[in-house]
Amino acid sequence: MTERTDTHVNGLAQAIIAGLVTTMVGFIASFAVVLAGLFQVGATESQAASGLLILSLGVGLCSIILSLRHRIPLTISWSTPGAAMLAALAPGAFSFEQAVGAFIVGGVLIMATGLLPFLQRLLTHIPVPIAQGMLAGVLLPLCLKPLTALSTIPVPAFGILLVFLLGLRFLPKFAVVLSMLAAVCFGLWHIAGTNAWAKLELLPTLEWVSPEFSWAAIVSISVPLVIVTMASQNIPGVAVAKSFGYTVPWRSSMLLTGAGTGVSAFFGGHAINLAAITAALASGPEAGVDPSKRWRAAVSSGGFYLFFAVFSALIVSVASASPAGLFQAAAGLALLATLTQSLLGAMHDVQWRLSALVTVLVAAGNVTLLGVGGAFWALLAGLLTHFIVERGARR
């Protein structure tokens, strides 16, 4: 009896630790990307803090609800690639109210993929090279920020880059987390030097945003946001779970995360989805020996997201009071692995290589026509190039 109790306690402790690591990697490694995206679409400091708060609450609650209901580790996260897509939009292209309207539409579309099988098939049948090329093009400008920051804030930029490289050498799983923590430290050092402590906000608050619905914002934000979220988060999340022997309940997952996206949008959040990279931390052996009980790690991760939400206002105020470009540089480092994977996915199939390259270039150039942003035109340009050049050449 004692041995069984000790095993249960040890297994629970292992699940809680795995949940903490999952949350730390997911939150700390990517919050700067979320802030960069929200600020780019016009959010104020208080609106960005509200967005980070509601996303943390939504991620935490969705992880807990889904994992408890299905008794499998269903780890939820915010859409980091989606935030990067927002960060790539032209400054001032849309008001934050219009962006929020687009977030709501995105949530409805995510829910629709759980209700309408044909819509799920439509999104999953977007050619991988085109979807990955769009994501790579969106990520490229942000991934250049660590290098461009060397000319404007050389000491902090070099510092976080050095921490990142040393992390890759000695603690590769935590390199991004360490570089983000280094950015926080440089930010606090700057705040101390300028005696700007009074600018820091401690208590998080939710701020309502009244949405405005614009067709240009929906085409420029909603459609690319859903596509990159599906291609780089939801579908890989299903694959990761399957690799550990778990079958993701697609319908309930899309309904809940889509509803969570729609609700969080009213308070500044952009998108909630299945986790991909961090899902492995709560689904693998690190989360416990018994696979049937690893759901506790995902529940633990959700609980820690609720705890981390308390610090959302402080995090945003530190980022705002830090040297300009510091957290954008850290966000760029956080997205390097995703950029690598998306470029590999875009260029893997030789029969799609030219169209994928066109997609990357149009998305990176952020070509804006008729008020519609570059991500949408990148999709069309890539598909058109394939059907005119590559597909035609094979006939």
Side-chain angles (χ1 to χ4, degrees):
M1 184 70 177
T2 303
E3 183 179 351
R4 183 178 299 177
T5 301
D6 290 341
T7 302
H8 174 76
V9 172
N10 291 336
L12 181 59
Q14 193 174 5
I16 292 174
I17 293 172
L20 175 60
V21 172
T22 300
T23 302
M24 288 184 64
V25 172
F27 188 103
I28 298 176
S30 62
F31 75 85
V33 185
V34 173
L35 297 184
L38 294 179
F39 283 134
Q40 189 72 5
V41 291
T44 64
E45 182 177 332
S46 61
Q47 288 171 333
S50 175
L52 186 62
L53 170 60
I54 194 64
L55 286 171
S56 301
L57 294 174
V59 166
L61 290 174
C62 288
S63 294
I64 292 171
I65 292 170
L66 286 171
S67 298
L68 283 176
R69 178 182 176 185
H70 297 285
R71 287 299 196 269
I72 61 174
L74 291 168
T75 310
I76 306 300
S77 67
W78 51 56
S79 178
T80 302
M85 186 274 296
L86 297 178
L89 290 171
F94 306 103
S95 68
F96 191 55
E97 290 75 16
Q98 290 173 327
V100 166
F103 299 161
I104 294 172
V105 173
V108 173
L109 290 175
I110 292 172
M111 291 182 68
T113 63
L115 293 171
L116 305 173
F118 83 90
L119 186 56
Q120 177 191 350
R121 289 194 296 270
L122 177 64
L123 288 171
T124 55
H125 278 75
I126 292 175
V128 171
I130 300 299
Q132 293 295 332
M134 184 188 71
L135 179 58
V138 163
L139 295 176
L140 188 57
L142 193 55
C143 288
L144 291 174
K145 295 291 185 181
L147 300 179
T148 58
L150 289 170
S151 62
T152 56
I153 47 171
V155 174
F158 179 77
I160 63 172
L161 185 58
L162 180 61
V163 169
F164 178 70
L165 293 175
L166 290 174
L168 287 177
R169 174 64 178 84
F170 297 105
L171 292 170
K173 288 185 177 181
F174 299 98
V176 172
V177 173
L178 292 173
S179 62
M180 201 68 72
L181 290 175
V184 172
C185 292
F186 278 115
L188 292 174
W189 179 39
H190 175 80
I191 292 170
T194 57
N195 198 25
W197 298 109
K199 296 181 179 180
L200 301 185
E201 297 287 339
L202 298 179
L203 298 178
T205 56
L206 291 175
E207 184 169 324
W208 177 271
V209 182
S210 298
E212 295 180 10
F213 295 95
S214 158
W215 74 269
I218 290 171
V219 174
S220 300
I221 297 177
S222 305
V223 175
L225 179 62
V226 172
I227 291 174
V228 299
T229 298
M230 287 292 171
S232 59
Q233 297 278 176
N234 285 331
I235 295 173
V238 171
V240 169
K242 189 175 182 179
S243 70
F244 289 102
Y246 303 105
T247 300
V248 172
W250 179 264
R251 183 185 179 91
S252 60
S253 297
M254 293 305 101
L255 288 177
L256 186 59
T257 56
T261 295
V263 171
S264 67
F266 286 100
F267 301 96
H270 69 292
I272 296 171
N273 47 247
L274 292 171
I277 298 174
T278 55
L281 298 174
S283 303
E286 299 87 353
V289 177
D290 186 352
S292 68
K293 295 182 179 179
R294 291 176 187 169
W295 59 269
R296 298 180 299 183
V299 171
S300 170
S301 174
F304 282 114
Y305 262 103
L306 299 181
F307 174 73
F308 275 47
V310 177
F311 302 98
S312 56
L314 178 61
I315 290 170
V316 174
S317 58
V318 168
S320 299
S322 298
L326 174 62
F327 279 84
Q328 289 89 336
L333 292 176
L335 292 169
L336 285 177
T338 306
L339 174 63
T340 301
Q341 292 301 316
S342 59
L343 285 172
L344 289 173
M347 300 300 173
H348 177 72
D349 189 342
V350 67
Q351 295 180 344
W352 286 83
R353 195 161 291 171
L354 176 62
S355 54
L357 178 60
V358 170
T359 306
V360 172
L361 295 176
V362 174
N366 196 20
V367 177
T368 302
L369 297 172
L370 303 176
V372 178
F376 177 78
W377 296 118
L379 283 171
L380 291 186
L383 291 171
L384 188 62
T385 301
H386 177 72
F387 283 106
I388 292 177
V389 180
E390 294 166 322
R391 187 174 180 180
R394 295 202 303 268
R395 291 179 175 177

